[in-house]
Amino acid sequence: MKKSGLAIFIIILLIIFAVPVNAYAEDNDDIKSDYTEQLDEILEDYDFDEGTDEIAAISFGRLADIITEKVKESDHSPFKLLGTILTVIVISGLLKNMGASIFSNSQDIYSMICVLTTVTVISPQLFDAFSSASETVSLGGGFISVFIPVFSGVTAASGNITSAAVYDAAVLAASELIVQLISGFLMPVLSGAVMLSVTGSVFSENNMSSIVQLLKKVIIWGMTVTMTVFTGFVTLKCSLAGKADGAATKAARFLISGGVPVVGGAVSDAYATVRSSFDLIRGSVGTVGCIAVVLIVLPPVINLILFRFVMWIGSAASDLFGADQIKRLLDSFDNALAIAQSVLVCYGVMFVLCTGILMQMAGGT
């Protein structure tokens, strides 16, 4: 009886193992195409002409060409503004000398007229540059808010779940906070700096340039210290999370290798291969995100640098022609532009550094 039962059991097992069973595994190319399609949709929403594959394989020369094209698309040319400023400075110097020779008390009147003329010429383009900086931060924040879930998802799929959670929570929260602060405070602060600059230049006895200079130092140092502390925090958290993910990965491979009879080693190697393919996808996605943020942030930064260059030349020319009030005005405008430039640089650098840190830490587990 026992023998017949054992024979029936063996026959059933033979029948089960004799029946062919097809097993399917999702191709790595299919997985990559899914993430590529998501990124392509995000890039298309933010007016990028290039797709994910093009950006991932972009050369430095092509990147420079794209940035140059975006800078040229600006409505106002800083160099045309430079010509107008130099003209006003020369006229200011001539009127000041003529006024001194005709009426002894008319120098201040001519200087005030020239300062107000300079303000009238510069202000529209200056506020356009400030608005562009604020809009750039909002645009970058929108891109980051939709990019981070994709990047965190592929990072978690590659086995770095803790690192992905740290990055997602920290960088997304920091980005949203910065966008809200800049949307609410950047334009009022820059407008206040411009008003102080104009007041200090028109009324020479009330020099407000030191206040604008102090405002610039406080904001730049505050952003620098905050970004340094935040980046250090993300580095430490991602480093610890990377070690934890690495230990969990090794434990999983050990359990698979020892727990699955006969083919445990092969299954463990297959798991490592799949994880490596996800690491490659994660690297491509992270690279595309960093380059996209650079393309969003860098053109307005270059535009601000060009405006500052115009202010430097104008300040030097004002010193040469003795237009002291215009010189103070241009120096204060330069401080306001430096604030806007520092905000954009810190925001872009923070995202690129944190993304690079995650790519490095998670890639080393």
Side-chain angles (χ1 to χ4, degrees), residues 79-138:
F79 296 104
K80 291 181 180 179
L81 178 63
L82 176 60
T84 306
I85 292 175
L86 292 177
T87 303
V88 173
I89 291 172
V90 172
I91 294 174
S92 174
L94 292 175
L95 290 177
K96 186 176 180 180
N97 292 329
M98 291 173 59
S101 61
I102 299 174
F103 301 104
S104 59
N105 296 326
S106 62
Q107 298 183 47
D108 294 337
I109 297 175
Y110 288 133
S111 297
M112 183 182 298
I113 293 173
C114 291
V115 167
L116 293 177
T117 304
T118 305
V119 171
T120 304
V121 170
I122 297 177
S123 293
Q125 297 192 37
L126 192 67
F127 280 103
D128 285 343
F130 292 158
S131 299
S132 176
S134 181
E135 291 171 0
T136 298
V137 173
S138 299

Side-chain angles (χ1 to χ4, degrees), residues 285-307:
V285 172
T287 301
V288 170
C290 291
I291 294 176
V293 170
V294 169
L295 291 175
I296 291 173
V297 173
L298 195 54
V301 170
I302 294 176
N303 198 35
L304 289 172
I305 292 174
L306 293 176
F307 271 106

